[in-house]
Amino acid sequence: MAYFYSEPSHTFSEYLLVPGYSSEECIPDNVSLRTPVVKFRKGEEKCPLTMNIPMVSAIMQSVSGERMAIALATEGGISFIYGSQSVESEAAMVARVKKYKAGFVTSDSNLRPDQTLADVLALKEATGHNTMAVTDDGTSGGVLLGIVTGRDYRVTRMGPDTKVSEFMTPFEALVTAHEGITLPECNDLIWEHKLNSLPIIDDEQHLKYFVFRKDYSSNKENPNELLDAEKRYIVGAGINTRDYAERVPALVEAGADVLCIDSSEGFSAWQKLTLAWIREKYGDSVKVGAGNVVDREGFRFLAECGADFVKVGIGGGSICITRETKGIGRGQATALIEVCQARDEYYKETGVYVPVCSDGGIVHDYHITLALAMGADFVMLGRYFSRFDESPTDRLMINGNYVKEYWGEGSNRARNWQRYDLGGGKKLSFEEGVDSYVPYAGSLKDNVSMTLSKVRHTMCNCGALSIPELQQKARLTLVSATSIVEGGAHDVILRDNSKATK
């Protein structure tokens, strides 16, 4: 007869934090969100890799591309470039992040001179960008022939079939700079010539980067940016349990700082084989996380196999239907609590601290604070990051509202069969994820700043100024269905501020 757990598993929404004493020092500006990413031994001076904020982006096609990696590292977190693409393509993405220089932006809004005003408007709708490079082949690395900005055209006075070549600002009229120029020198040119953007070209006039006036102040406002010893952005990458012998060397060569096995269920021989191969070839020099698991046994298995961190969560993602299709999983809060207890037990026994990543089940910002209080060292987010400008998907207008596309790795669109591999045929036997839209939310920076402000304020309510202190002091209470209703707005008629008049 099957084993039955005596208690039901719970989700984050079934818990609340009980406030503790807040001293005079407990103000949000004093809160540190630094957290370890990979394992370390007791007595070591510091963890080999830490983050300045406890947030990483999910290993998903619709979430983690190079723009996301740069934006999140700028804020102090890590993006894991998605692995459901060719080895060459993923390695190239990683390499571009490592080669990226802050303030030097690769153009992702590009046109050919034979395209039309209609194409300009469509590109602006898709990317939200006003500055578009015009190159000979319409790529970001083509020969720069001109640029188009909102000042170059008027929709009311020009036909949609007007050629870009007729209204663009031609190369001869542009102020440009050559590759090798420093960012301060670029900013001097921008201010001297009153420019909004400065194209950077090579000796053959190929476009390399843009430097924007608006980025000048932002370069001064990123005290948390996460950099390696050579002042390059930290970036992660996803791998699978099939082609690791080809993928891992390519990603290491490209400069990936940390890898993670992307799998829906990590308590398996396939992850053991993958970790054993990496340890045999690279020792501990290559950092790699594993998962996902939902209980003590799963954590111990992966920790003993050599994982640098362990991911927790099966079926809790907003686009995941694994629980519906296969009937496996566990409430995220219950799974996280048990795994973190196992992590602490393992640390006491071995002196090795293996960080835990909570993956899935985050619906509201306060769920992040709950996950940290329950023991997570950091959280992995998919839907959250998919809403931002920096995700790789298109921004669309649906029923009068802007949305971003968001699909699961187990959907027919992604067809990431390796993530659900059980050693059978190389195919996705059935869907374990859906194809969807999420409300567009703007820039990553603005949203992450707001989310972390809430986290810091809540930590102060608990009397904690660091994540370890929160885990020591936090007091959690289960809530009833009625108290969940009580916690929101109730028994009032909400005012529609969009229609209200003075």
Side-chain angles (χ1 to χ4, degrees), residues 321-339:
I321 55 172
T322 294
R323 296 181 190 176
E324 293 179 27
T325 56
K326 296 167 70 175
I328 65 168
R330 200 177 191 189
Q332 186 67 11
T334 299
L336 180 60
I337 291 167
E338 181 173 319
V339 169

Side-chain angles (χ1 to χ4, degrees), residues 165-232:
S165 58
E166 296 180 28
F167 59 86
M168 70 181 186
T169 301
F171 179 80
E172 296 75 20
L174 297 175
V175 176
T176 61
H178 276 75
E179 194 175 17
I181 189 172
T182 66
L183 188 59
E185 291 170 337
C186 288
N187 287 323
D188 287 343
L189 280 175
I190 286 173
W191 286 99
E192 179 183 346
H193 294 277
K194 299 180 180 179
L195 306 173
N196 287 323
S197 63
L198 176 69
I200 311 299
I201 57 174
D202 64 14
D203 292 336
E204 297 177 343
Q205 203 174 310
H206 291 101
L207 178 63
K208 305 301 291 184
Y209 308 103
F210 273 108
V211 176
F212 293 97
R213 172 187 288 264
K214 65 181 177 61
D215 289 338
Y216 174 77
S217 59
S218 69
N219 291 332
K220 305 291 185 181
E221 296 172 357
N222 300 312
N224 284 328
E225 62 181 356
L226 197 59
L227 306 173
D228 64 15
E230 299 177 35
K231 304 299 183 183
R232 303 174 301 176

